[in-house]
PDB file of all heavy atoms in Angstrom:
ATOM      1  N   PHE A 570      29.994 -11.738 -43.893  1.00 29.00           N
ATOM      2  CA  PHE A 570      28.599 -12.042 -43.558  1.00 29.00           C
ATOM      3  C   PHE A 570      27.769 -10.760 -43.528  1.00 29.00           C
ATOM      4  O   PHE A 570      26.667 -10.703 -44.055  1.00 29.00           O
ATOM      5  CB  PHE A 570      28.547 -12.731 -42.199  1.00 29.00           C
ATOM      6  CG  PHE A 570      27.156 -13.068 -41.740  1.00 29.00           C
ATOM      7  CD1 PHE A 570      26.376 -13.992 -42.427  1.00 29.00           C
ATOM      8  CD2 PHE A 570      26.622 -12.457 -40.614  1.00 29.00           C
ATOM      9  CE1 PHE A 570      25.094 -14.304 -41.994  1.00 29.00           C
ATOM     10  CE2 PHE A 570      25.339 -12.760 -40.186  1.00 29.00           C
ATOM     11  CZ  PHE A 570      24.585 -13.683 -40.873  1.00 29.00           C
ATOM     12  N   SER A 571      28.337  -9.679 -42.933  1.00 32.00           N
ATOM     13  CA  SER A 571      27.636  -8.405 -42.852  1.00 32.00           C
ATOM     14  C   SER A 571      27.372  -7.840 -44.228  1.00 32.00           C
ATOM     15  O   SER A 571      26.297  -7.325 -44.519  1.00 32.00           O
ATOM     16  CB  SER A 571      28.452  -7.400 -42.023  1.00 32.00           C
ATOM     17  OG  SER A 571      28.642  -7.880 -40.712  1.00 32.00           O
ATOM     18  N   ALA A 572      28.365  -7.937 -45.104  1.00 32.00           N
ATOM     19  CA  ALA A 572      28.207  -7.427 -46.475  1.00 32.00           C
ATOM     20  C   ALA A 572      27.127  -8.193 -47.209  1.00 32.00           C
ATOM     21  O   ALA A 572      26.342  -7.634 -47.981  1.00 32.00           O
ATOM     22  CB  ALA A 572      29.535  -7.530 -47.226  1.00 32.00           C
ATOM     23  N   THR A 573      27.063  -9.502 -46.985  1.00 31.00           N
ATOM     24  CA  THR A 573      26.030 -10.319 -47.612  1.00 31.00           C
ATOM     25  C   THR A 573      24.646  -9.872 -47.184  1.00 31.00           C
ATOM     26  O   THR A 573      23.722  -9.779 -47.987  1.00 31.00           O
ATOM     27  CB  THR A 573      26.232 -11.811 -47.246  1.00 31.00           C
ATOM     28  OG1 THR A 573      27.516 -12.207 -47.671  1.00 31.00           O
ATOM     29  CG2 THR A 573      25.175 -12.673 -47.915  1.00 31.00           C
ATOM     30  N   LEU A 574      24.485  -9.570 -45.882  1.00 28.00           N
ATOM     31  CA  LEU A 574      23.191  -9.118 -45.387  1.00 28.00           C
ATOM     32  C   LEU A 574      22.782  -7.807 -46.025  1.00 28.00           C
ATOM     33  O   LEU A 574      21.631  -7.617 -46.409  1.00 28.00           O
ATOM     34  CB  LEU A 574      23.248  -8.949 -43.860  1.00 28.00           C
ATOM     35  CG  LEU A 574      23.465 -10.202 -43.042  1.00 28.00           C
ATOM     36  CD1 LEU A 574      23.472  -9.857 -41.548  1.00 28.00           C
ATOM     37  CD2 LEU A 574      22.384 -11.236 -43.328  1.00 28.00           C
ATOM     38  N   VAL A 575      23.738  -6.881 -46.166  1.00 29.00           N
ATOM     39  CA  VAL A 575      23.436  -5.570 -46.748  1.00 29.00           C
ATOM     40  C   VAL A 575      23.056  -5.707 -48.212  1.00 29.00           C
ATOM     41  O   VAL A 575      22.065  -5.146 -48.676  1.00 29.00           O
ATOM     42  CB  VAL A 575      24.641  -4.626 -46.585  1.00 29.00           C
ATOM     43  CG1 VAL A 575      24.416  -3.346 -47.370  1.00 29.00           C
ATOM     44  CG2 VAL A 575      24.859  -4.300 -45.112  1.00 29.00           C
ATOM     45  N   THR A 576      23.841  -6.475 -48.973  1.00 25.00           N
ATOM     46  CA  THR A 576      23.591  -6.584 -50.410  1.00 25.00           C
ATOM     47  C   THR A 576      22.307  -7.346 -50.695  1.00 25.00           C
ATOM     48  O   THR A 576      21.683  -7.145 -51.725  1.00 25.00           O
ATOM     49  CB  THR A 576      24.760  -7.291 -51.113  1.00 25.00           C
ATOM     50  OG1 THR A 576      24.985  -8.563 -50.484  1.00 25.00           O
ATOM     51  CG2 THR A 576      26.027  -6.463 -51.009  1.00 25.00           C
ATOM     52  N   SER A 577      21.885  -8.212 -49.799  1.00 26.00           N
ATOM     53  CA  SER A 577      20.633  -8.946 -50.013  1.00 26.00           C
ATOM     54  C   SER A 577      19.442  -8.211 -49.410  1.00 26.00           C
ATOM     55  O   SER A 577      18.341  -8.724 -49.389  1.00 26.00           O
ATOM     56  CB  SER A 577      20.728 -10.349 -49.404  1.00 26.00           C
ATOM     57  OG  SER A 577      20.884 -10.262 -47.989  1.00 26.00           O
ATOM     58  N   LYS A 578      19.697  -6.977 -48.901  1.00 27.00           N
ATOM     59  CA  LYS A 578      18.647  -6.148 -48.317  1.00 27.00           C
ATOM     60  C   LYS A 578      17.950  -6.856 -47.168  1.00 27.00           C
ATOM     61  O   LYS A 578      16.736  -6.773 -46.994  1.00 27.00           O
ATOM     62  CB  LYS A 578      17.634  -5.715 -49.390  1.00 27.00           C
ATOM     63  CG  LYS A 578      18.260  -4.850 -50.478  1.00 27.00           C
ATOM     64  CD  LYS A 578      17.236  -4.374 -51.469  1.00 27.00           C
ATOM     65  CE  LYS A 578      17.889  -3.497 -52.532  1.00 27.00           C
ATOM     66  NZ  LYS A 578      16.915  -3.017 -53.529  1.00 27.00           N
ATOM     67  N   TRP A 579      18.711  -7.585 -46.378  1.00 26.00           N
ATOM     68  CA  TRP A 579      18.171  -8.276 -45.213  1.00 26.00           C
ATOM     69  C   TRP A 579      17.648  -7.274 -44.204  1.00 26.00           C
ATOM     70  O   TRP A 579      18.265  -6.247 -43.960  1.00 26.00           O
ATOM     71  CB  TRP A 579      19.258  -9.132 -44.579  1.00 26.00           C
ATOM     72  CG  TRP A 579      18.830  -9.864 -43.338  1.00 26.00           C
ATOM     73  CD1 TRP A 579      18.198 -11.067 -43.281  1.00 26.00           C
ATOM     74  CD2 TRP A 579      19.037  -9.456 -41.991  1.00 26.00           C
ATOM     75  NE1 TRP A 579      17.998 -11.436 -41.976  1.00 26.00           N
ATOM     76  CE2 TRP A 579      18.494 -10.458 -41.159  1.00 26.00           C
ATOM     77  CE3 TRP A 579      19.619  -8.335 -41.407  1.00 26.00           C
ATOM     78  CZ2 TRP A 579      18.521 -10.385 -39.778  1.00 26.00           C
ATOM     79  CZ3 TRP A 579      19.639  -8.255 -40.021  1.00 26.00           C
ATOM     80  CH2 TRP A 579      19.097  -9.262 -39.228  1.00 26.00           C
ATOM     81  N   ILE A 580      16.467  -7.548 -43.642  1.00 29.00           N
ATOM     82  CA  ILE A 580      15.851  -6.667 -42.648  1.00 29.00           C
ATOM     83  C   ILE A 580      15.476  -7.502 -41.438  1.00 29.00           C
ATOM     84  O   ILE A 580      14.882  -8.579 -41.581  1.00 29.00           O
ATOM     85  CB  ILE A 580      14.577  -6.001 -43.222  1.00 29.00           C
ATOM     86  CG1 ILE A 580      14.933  -5.169 -44.459  1.00 29.00           C
ATOM     87  CG2 ILE A 580      13.919  -5.111 -42.183  1.00 29.00           C
ATOM     88  CD1 ILE A 580      13.729  -4.591 -45.169  1.00 29.00           C
ATOM     89  N   PRO A 581      15.799  -7.062 -40.221  1.00 31.00           N
ATOM     90  CA  PRO A 581      15.420  -7.810 -39.027  1.00 31.00           C
ATOM     91  C   PRO A 581      13.910  -7.987 -38.940  1.00 31.00           C
ATOM     92  O   PRO A 581      13.145  -7.157 -39.431  1.00 31.00           O
ATOM     93  CB  PRO A 581      15.928  -6.922 -37.875  1.00 31.00           C
ATOM     94  CG  PRO A 581      16.969  -6.055 -38.491  1.00 31.00           C
ATOM     95  CD  PRO A 581      16.534  -5.840 -39.904  1.00 31.00           C
ATOM     96  N   GLU A 582      13.479  -9.061 -38.328  1.00 33.00           N
ATOM     97  CA  GLU A 582      12.051  -9.295 -38.169  1.00 33.00           C
ATOM     98  C   GLU A 582      11.434  -8.222 -37.283  1.00 33.00           C
ATOM     99  O   GLU A 582      12.068  -7.694 -36.392  1.00 33.00           O
ATOM    100  CB  GLU A 582      11.804 -10.682 -37.581  1.00 33.00           C
ATOM    101  CG  GLU A 582      12.127 -11.797 -38.566  1.00 33.00           C
ATOM    102  CD  GLU A 582      11.704 -13.137 -38.053  1.00 33.00           C
ATOM    103  OE1 GLU A 582      11.662 -13.301 -36.832  1.00 33.00           O
ATOM    104  OE2 GLU A 582      11.417 -14.006 -38.866  1.00 33.00           O
ATOM    105  N   ARG A 583      10.180  -7.919 -37.560  1.00 38.00           N
ATOM    106  CA  ARG A 583       9.501  -6.809 -36.890  1.00 38.00           C
ATOM    107  C   ARG A 583       8.247  -7.273 -36.160  1.00 38.00           C
ATOM    108  O   ARG A 583       7.886  -8.398 -36.151  1.00 38.00           O
ATOM    109  CB  ARG A 583       9.122  -5.743 -37.949  1.00 38.00           C
ATOM    110  CG  ARG A 583      10.317  -5.210 -38.753  1.00 38.00           C
ATOM    111  CD  ARG A 583      11.179  -4.301 -37.919  1.00 38.00           C
ATOM    112  NE  ARG A 583      12.224  -3.674 -38.704  1.00 38.00           N
ATOM    113  CZ  ARG A 583      12.121  -2.484 -39.282  1.00 38.00           C
ATOM    114  NH1 ARG A 583      11.017  -1.798 -39.171  1.00 38.00           N
ATOM    115  NH2 ARG A 583      13.127  -1.976 -39.954  1.00 38.00           N
ATOM    116  N   ILE A 584       7.455  -6.496 -35.569  1.00 71.00           N
ATOM    117  CA  ILE A 584       6.257  -6.287 -34.723  1.00 71.00           C
ATOM    118  C   ILE A 584       6.173  -7.114 -33.456  1.00 71.00           C
ATOM    119  O   ILE A 584       5.696  -6.518 -32.533  1.00 71.00           O
ATOM    120  CB  ILE A 584       4.909  -6.387 -35.435  1.00 71.00           C
ATOM    121  CG1 ILE A 584       3.778  -5.879 -34.538  1.00 71.00           C
ATOM    122  CG2 ILE A 584       4.592  -7.699 -36.014  1.00 71.00           C
ATOM    123  CD1 ILE A 584       2.368  -5.955 -35.050  1.00 71.00           C
ATOM    124  N   ALA A 585       6.590  -8.214 -33.103  1.00 82.00           N
ATOM    125  CA  ALA A 585       7.785  -8.964 -33.503  1.00 82.00           C
ATOM    126  C   ALA A 585       7.461 -10.011 -34.604  1.00 82.00           C
ATOM    127  O   ALA A 585       6.394 -10.576 -34.599  1.00 82.00           O
ATOM    128  CB  ALA A 585       8.321  -9.687 -32.265  1.00 82.00           C
ATOM    129  N   GLY A 586       8.432 -10.234 -35.440  1.00 86.00           N
ATOM    130  CA  GLY A 586       8.305 -11.262 -36.462  1.00 86.00           C
ATOM    131  C   GLY A 586       7.390 -10.894 -37.599  1.00 86.00           C
ATOM    132  O   GLY A 586       6.795 -11.782 -38.196  1.00 86.00           O
ATOM    133  N   GLY A 587       7.270  -9.600 -37.901  1.00 86.00           N
ATOM    134  CA  GLY A 587       6.346  -9.179 -38.942  1.00 86.00           C
ATOM    135  C   GLY A 587       7.013  -8.588 -40.161  1.00 86.00           C
ATOM    136  O   GLY A 587       8.215  -8.736 -40.373  1.00 86.00           O
ATOM    137  N   HIS A 588       6.215  -7.885 -40.957  1.00 94.00           N
ATOM    138  CA  HIS A 588       6.697  -7.274 -42.190  1.00 94.00           C
ATOM    139  C   HIS A 588       5.975  -5.952 -42.392  1.00 94.00           C
ATOM    140  O   HIS A 588       4.873  -5.737 -41.881  1.00 94.00           O
ATOM    141  CB  HIS A 588       6.444  -8.206 -43.377  1.00 94.00           C
ATOM    142  CG  HIS A 588       5.001  -8.566 -43.552  1.00 94.00           C
ATOM    143  ND1 HIS A 588       4.408  -9.593 -42.846  1.00 94.00           N
ATOM    144  CD2 HIS A 588       4.016  -8.027 -44.311  1.00 94.00           C
ATOM    145  CE1 HIS A 588       3.124  -9.687 -43.175  1.00 94.00           C
ATOM    146  NE2 HIS A 588       2.861  -8.739 -44.064  1.00 94.00           N
ATOM    147  N   SER A 589       6.573  -5.059 -43.165  1.00 96.00           N
ATOM    148  CA  SER A 589       5.977  -3.760 -43.448  1.00 96.00           C
ATOM    149  C   SER A 589       4.772  -3.920 -44.379  1.00 96.00           C
ATOM    150  O   SER A 589       4.795  -4.731 -45.304  1.00 96.00           O
ATOM    151  CB  SER A 589       6.998  -2.832 -44.100  1.00 96.00           C
ATOM    152  OG  SER A 589       8.101  -2.611 -43.252  1.00 96.00           O
ATOM    153  N   VAL A 590       3.736  -3.137 -44.110  1.00 97.00           N
ATOM    154  CA  VAL A 590       2.550  -3.137 -44.971  1.00 97.00           C
ATOM    155  C   VAL A 590       2.083  -1.703 -45.203  1.00 97.00           C
ATOM    156  O   VAL A 590       2.336  -0.817 -44.381  1.00 97.00           O
ATOM    157  CB  VAL A 590       1.380  -3.951 -44.365  1.00 97.00           C
ATOM    158  CG1 VAL A 590       1.679  -5.427 -44.370  1.00 97.00           C
ATOM    159  CG2 VAL A 590       1.031  -3.459 -42.972  1.00 97.00           C
ATOM    160  N   SER A 591       1.398  -1.505 -46.297  1.00 98.00           N
ATOM    161  CA  SER A 591       0.773  -0.217 -46.574  1.00 98.00           C
ATOM    162  C   SER A 591      -0.502  -0.094 -45.748  1.00 98.00           C
ATOM    163  O   SER A 591      -1.160  -1.093 -45.430  1.00 98.00           O
ATOM    164  CB  SER A 591       0.435  -0.112 -48.068  1.00 98.00           C
ATOM    165  OG  SER A 591      -0.461   0.957 -48.307  1.00 98.00           O
ATOM    166  N   ILE A 592      -0.879   1.125 -45.411  1.00 98.00           N
ATOM    167  CA  ILE A 592      -2.125   1.346 -44.682  1.00 98.00           C
ATOM    168  C   ILE A 592      -3.313   0.846 -45.508  1.00 98.00           C
ATOM    169  O   ILE A 592      -4.352   0.484 -44.946  1.00 98.00           O
ATOM    170  CB  ILE A 592      -2.295   2.849 -44.336  1.00 98.00           C
ATOM    171  CG1 ILE A 592      -3.446   3.060 -43.340  1.00 98.00           C
ATOM    172  CG2 ILE A 592      -2.484   3.672 -45.589  1.00 98.00           C
ATOM    173  CD1 ILE A 592      -3.247   2.413 -41.990  1.00 98.00           C
ATOM    174  N   LYS A 593      -3.157   0.780 -46.824  1.00 98.00           N
ATOM    175  CA  LYS A 593      -4.246   0.289 -47.670  1.00 98.00           C
ATOM    176  C   LYS A 593      -4.507  -1.201 -47.458  1.00 98.00           C
ATOM    177  O   LYS A 593      -5.582  -1.702 -47.787  1.00 98.00           O
ATOM    178  CB  LYS A 593      -3.940   0.572 -49.142  1.00 98.00           C
ATOM    179  CG  LYS A 593      -3.942   2.050 -49.487  1.00 98.00           C
ATOM    180  CD  LYS A 593      -3.660   2.280 -50.963  1.00 98.00           C
ATOM    181  CE  LYS A 593      -3.675   3.771 -51.291  1.00 98.00           C
ATOM    182  NZ  LYS A 593      -3.393   4.020 -52.730  1.00 98.00           N
ATOM    183  N   ALA A 594      -3.520  -1.909 -46.912  1.00 98.00           N
ATOM    184  CA  ALA A 594      -3.700  -3.336 -46.616  1.00 98.00           C
ATOM    185  C   ALA A 594      -4.480  -3.547 -45.333  1.00 98.00           C
ATOM    186  O   ALA A 594      -5.133  -4.578 -45.150  1.00 98.00           O
ATOM    187  CB  ALA A 594      -2.338  -4.031 -46.532  1.00 98.00           C
ATOM    188  N   VAL A 595      -4.390  -2.569 -44.415  1.00 98.00           N
ATOM    189  CA  VAL A 595      -5.119  -2.632 -43.142  1.00 98.00           C
ATOM    190  C   VAL A 595      -5.729  -1.248 -42.868  1.00 98.00           C
ATOM    191  O   VAL A 595      -5.353  -0.569 -41.920  1.00 98.00           O
ATOM    192  CB  VAL A 595      -4.206  -3.082 -41.973  1.00 98.00           C
ATOM    193  CG1 VAL A 595      -3.946  -4.562 -42.009  1.00 98.00           C
ATOM    194  CG2 VAL A 595      -2.876  -2.331 -41.995  1.00 98.00           C
ATOM    195  N   PRO A 596      -6.673  -0.818 -43.718  1.00 98.00           N
ATOM    196  CA  PRO A 596      -7.184   0.561 -43.660  1.00 98.00           C
ATOM    197  C   PRO A 596      -7.977   0.897 -42.408  1.00 98.00           C
ATOM    198  O   PRO A 596      -8.272   2.071 -42.170  1.00 98.00           O
ATOM    199  CB  PRO A 596      -8.070   0.653 -44.919  1.00 98.00           C
ATOM    200  CG  PRO A 596      -8.501  -0.760 -45.176  1.00 98.00           C
ATOM    201  CD  PRO A 596      -7.327  -1.605 -44.784  1.00 98.00           C
ATOM    202  N   TRP A 597      -8.304  -0.099 -41.593  1.00 98.00           N
ATOM    203  CA  TRP A 597      -9.009   0.124 -40.329  1.00 98.00           C
ATOM    204  C   TRP A 597      -8.049   0.461 -39.195  1.00 98.00           C
ATOM    205  O   TRP A 597      -8.461   0.832 -38.111  1.00 98.00           O
ATOM    206  CB  TRP A 597      -9.803  -1.124 -39.951  1.00 98.00           C
ATOM    207  CG  TRP A 597      -9.025  -2.390 -40.161  1.00 98.00           C
ATOM    208  CD1 TRP A 597      -8.071  -2.931 -39.350  1.00 98.00           C
ATOM    209  CD2 TRP A 597      -9.094  -3.246 -41.303  1.00 98.00           C
ATOM    210  NE1 TRP A 597      -7.544  -4.066 -39.887  1.00 98.00           N
ATOM    211  CE2 TRP A 597      -8.161  -4.301 -41.102  1.00 98.00           C
ATOM    212  CE3 TRP A 597      -9.871  -3.249 -42.473  1.00 98.00           C
ATOM    213  CZ2 TRP A 597      -7.982  -5.321 -42.034  1.00 98.00           C
ATOM    214  CZ3 TRP A 597      -9.691  -4.268 -43.399  1.00 98.00           C
ATOM    215  CH2 TRP A 597      -8.754  -5.289 -43.166  1.00 98.00           C
ATOM    216  N   GLN A 598      -6.750   0.368 -39.457  1.00 98.00           N
ATOM    217  CA  GLN A 598      -5.742   0.667 -38.435  1.00 98.00           C
ATOM    218  C   GLN A 598      -5.652   2.174 -38.198  1.00 98.00           C
ATOM    219  O   GLN A 598      -5.597   2.969 -39.130  1.00 98.00           O
ATOM    220  CB  GLN A 598      -4.379   0.153 -38.892  1.00 98.00           C
ATOM    221  CG  GLN A 598      -3.225   0.514 -37.971  1.00 98.00           C
ATOM    222  CD  GLN A 598      -3.116  -0.383 -36.761  1.00 98.00           C
ATOM    223  OE1 GLN A 598      -3.091  -1.609 -36.882  1.00 98.00           O
ATOM    224  NE2 GLN A 598      -3.057   0.217 -35.578  1.00 98.00           N
ATOM    225  N   ALA A 599      -5.627   2.558 -36.938  1.00 98.00           N
ATOM    226  CA  ALA A 599      -5.456   3.965 -36.555  1.00 98.00           C
ATOM    227  C   ALA A 599      -4.369   4.067 -35.500  1.00 98.00           C
ATOM    228  O   ALA A 599      -4.035   3.084 -34.829  1.00 98.00           O
ATOM    229  CB  ALA A 599      -6.765   4.536 -36.025  1.00 98.00           C
ATOM    230  N   SER A 600      -3.815   5.259 -35.355  1.00 98.00           N
ATOM    231  CA  SER A 600      -2.843   5.548 -34.308  1.00 98.00           C
ATOM    232  C   SER A 600      -3.487   6.498 -33.308  1.00 98.00           C
ATOM    233  O   SER A 600      -4.021   7.545 -33.691  1.00 98.00           O
ATOM    234  CB  SER A 600      -1.583   6.190 -34.911  1.00 98.00           C
ATOM    235  OG  SER A 600      -0.684   6.588 -33.896  1.00 98.00           O
ATOM    236  N   LEU A 601      -3.483   6.123 -32.039  1.00 98.00           N
ATOM    237  CA  LEU A 601      -4.028   6.976 -30.990  1.00 98.00           C
ATOM    238  C   LEU A 601      -2.907   7.866 -30.465  1.00 98.00           C
ATOM    239  O   LEU A 601      -1.910   7.380 -29.935  1.00 98.00           O
ATOM    240  CB  LEU A 601      -4.611   6.116 -29.867  1.00 98.00           C
ATOM    241  CG  LEU A 601      -5.280   6.871 -28.717  1.00 98.00           C
ATOM    242  CD1 LEU A 601      -6.494   7.662 -29.209  1.00 98.00           C
ATOM    243  CD2 LEU A 601      -5.705   5.897 -27.620  1.00 98.00           C
ATOM    244  N   LEU A 602      -3.070   9.178 -30.629  1.00 98.00           N
ATOM    245  CA  LEU A 602      -2.048  10.144 -30.230  1.00 98.00           C
ATOM    246  C   LEU A 602      -2.366  10.721 -28.860  1.00 98.00           C
ATOM    247  O   LEU A 602      -3.468  11.227 -28.627  1.00 98.00           O
ATOM    248  CB  LEU A 602      -1.957  11.275 -31.247  1.00 98.00           C
ATOM    249  CG  LEU A 602      -1.846  10.881 -32.731  1.00 98.00           C
ATOM    250  CD1 LEU A 602      -1.788  12.128 -33.601  1.00 98.00           C
ATOM    251  CD2 LEU A 602      -0.623  10.004 -32.974  1.00 98.00           C
ATOM    252  N   LYS A 603      -1.405  10.641 -27.972  1.00 97.00           N
ATOM    253  CA  LYS A 603      -1.529  11.218 -26.632  1.00 97.00           C
ATOM    254  C   LYS A 603      -0.680  12.484 -26.578  1.00 97.00           C
ATOM    255  O   LYS A 603       0.531  12.425 -26.730  1.00 97.00           O
ATOM    256  CB  LYS A 603      -1.046  10.206 -25.589  1.00 97.00           C
ATOM    257  CG  LYS A 603      -1.075  10.702 -24.162  1.00 97.00           C
ATOM    258  CD  LYS A 603      -0.560   9.615 -23.228  1.00 97.00           C
ATOM    259  CE  LYS A 603      -0.494  10.070 -21.789  1.00 97.00           C
ATOM    260  NZ  LYS A 603       0.035   9.008 -20.887  1.00 97.00           N
TER     261      LYS A 603
END
């Protein structure tokens, strides 16, 4: 099962339940640095 996940490039859900995006998709997003 683990090998299947690796070979299919399975990635756990994020943000929660999200996906990676380029900053060009949400160009108004900023990071506030403390």
